[in-house]
Amino acid sequence: MPPTSSPPRHILICGTGALANLFAARLVASGAEITILGNWPEGLAALREFGVRLVQSDGTERTFAVRATNDPEACQGVRYALVLVKAWQTERTARQLTVCLASDGLALTLQNGLGNDQILTQHLGRERVALGVTTTGATLMGPGCVRPGGEGVISLGEHPGLGPLKVLLKQAGFKVETIDDVDALVWGKLVINAAINPLTALLRVPNGELVERASARLLMQDLAQETAAVAEAKGIRLPFYDPVAAAEDVARRTASNRSSMLQDVTRGAPTEIDAICGAIVREGERQGVPTAVNRALWLLVKAAIQERVNSICAP
């Protein structure tokens, strides 16, 4: 990695969903050149014709020009990539990055769920993968069209090559922090995801509604506490003292946001429930920690839609 902390000019974003579009818009606004690598035909077509359309809460809209492609060969030599695809798409994206990421390049995953960085590392090597999470919210309004859903934080694990990318993300207006304990980083986000995403998907409500409904709030608390208990059994020290308060705080700060899982369920697309509640249940079984509420939500979300991972084209 280059020793300079100067921000890179060109960034590859993997994904065509809500966060991919939001990050692209804000990075272009800060002066970066963005290429989006995806597999959703309608999303790519809209991005090529209009660019990213960013819709504010007052209805005003701005557009940001990006390059969009489904061909990793067209992205060869890229130095920095943001991985913002769904967890079930990580394997495919990792294979694509073996083609387009430079030998000294760096892929930063900001995805939901467990195991994404391991998949990327298997294909790219440990030195070319950095791990982070974000609580920033966004709602996909249509192909290439996104509405911000609440300001969050980008938390990054330590990596010697992340300096220039941190500078760029801060220039784009993101709040960025670095955490030494990567496991704490991942499991802290998992607590938030488990407490918010499946409930919003099943109840078909935005994040903030969960803290307004007494029964939903109780379920939210149970999900957060179960997940924290599994993390504790694994010897992981979470980045917050109170998992329930942390989850509720994110729900309030992203009150108008429709979670990514709600957006998936609404359009009948595959969800990340296996990498969130499913992963918590599996880890709970290994550690001997009960996860009855996570198991129930895992199965309910899977029953809510007919998943066709191998036949559906989704962002």
Side-chain angles (χ1 to χ4, degrees):
M1 295 297 152
T4 178
S5 61
S6 299
R9 181 160 179 80
H10 181 254
I11 300 293
L12 175 67
I13 293 180
C14 301
T16 51
L19 279 182
N21 281 282
L22 178 66
F23 272 71
R26 291 181 64 168
L27 288 168
V28 170
S30 71
E33 296 177 358
I34 300 298
T35 296
I36 291 181
L37 176 64
N39 292 275
W40 184 29
E42 292 84 356
L44 293 172
L47 290 168
R48 290 172 185 138
E49 183 173 359
F50 306 108
V52 177
R53 292 178 292 152
L54 185 68
V55 181
Q56 300 295 346
S57 57
D58 61 1
T60 58
E61 183 177 308
R62 294 182 63 191
T63 60
F64 301 88
V66 297
R67 179 173 174 243
T69 182
N70 64 351
D71 182 9
E73 297 281 352
C75 310
Q76 288 188 9
V78 69
R79 296 293 296 275
Y80 292 94
L82 292 179
V83 182
L84 293 168
V85 299
K86 301 294 184 182
W88 59 269
Q89 297 171 313
T90 305
E91 178 70 32
R92 180 184 65 202
T93 299
R95 291 195 302 268
Q96 292 176 326
L97 284 171
T98 63
V99 176
C100 53
L101 191 66
S103 60
D104 61 347
L106 182 64
L108 169 62
T109 169
L110 296 175
Q111 299 165 269
N112 291 333
L114 293 179
N116 295 300
D117 62 318
Q118 288 95 327
I119 294 172
L120 291 166
T121 296
Q122 288 169 8
H123 288 269
L124 304 174
R126 179 74 269 173
E127 72 283 354
R128 292 203 292 169
V129 177
L131 176 60
V133 297
T134 181
T135 54
T136 300
T139 298
L140 192 67
M141 308 298 291
C145 184
V146 64
R147 182 182 67 200
E151 198 61 50
V153 178
I154 298 174
S155 301
L156 302 175
E158 291 284 358
H159 192 289
L162 269 177
L165 198 51
K166 287 182 191 176
V167 173
L168 182 62
L169 289 168
K170 289 178 180 179
Q171 286 181 354
F174 291 103
K175 182 178 179 182
V176 181
E177 63 180 16
T178 300
I179 295 179
D180 295 333
D181 189 340
V182 175
D183 286 333
L185 190 75
V186 173
W187 277 85
K189 178 63 181 296
L190 198 61
V191 168
I192 306 301
N193 284 157
I196 293 176
N197 290 19
L199 286 172
T200 58
L202 291 169
L203 298 174
R204 307 292 180 103
V205 297
N207 295 357
E209 189 70 19
L210 297 181
V211 293
E212 300 298 327
R213 300 188 183 188
S215 296
R217 191 172 183 180
L218 288 173
L219 283 169
M220 188 180 178
Q221 293 169 359
D222 287 343
L223 289 162
Q225 289 169 341
E226 277 188 1
T227 309
V230 175
E232 181 179 2
K234 287 174 63 65
I236 294 167
R237 186 174 182 177
L238 293 173
F240 37 72
Y241 175 75
D242 186 340
V244 172
E248 290 183 348
D249 178 62
V250 172
R252 291 189 183 95
R253 286 192 288 106
T254 61
S256 64
N257 187 55
R258 291 165 56 86
S259 76
S260 59
M261 194 172 293
L262 171 57
Q263 295 177 59
D264 291 338
V265 168
T266 299
R267 66 175 184 269
T271 74
E272 296 177 303
I273 195 66
D274 288 333
I276 298 175
C277 292
I280 294 163
V281 170
R282 291 188 291 272
E283 287 295 331
E285 290 173 346
R286 294 188 187 102
Q287 301 299 325
V289 177
T291 55
V293 183
N294 271 281
R295 178 179 292 277
L297 271 292
W298 176 32
L299 297 176
L300 282 168
V301 171
K302 288 176 74 69
I305 65 170
Q306 181 181 358
E307 294 194 334
R308 302 184 302 277
V309 173
N310 293 326
S311 62
I312 190 168
C313 291

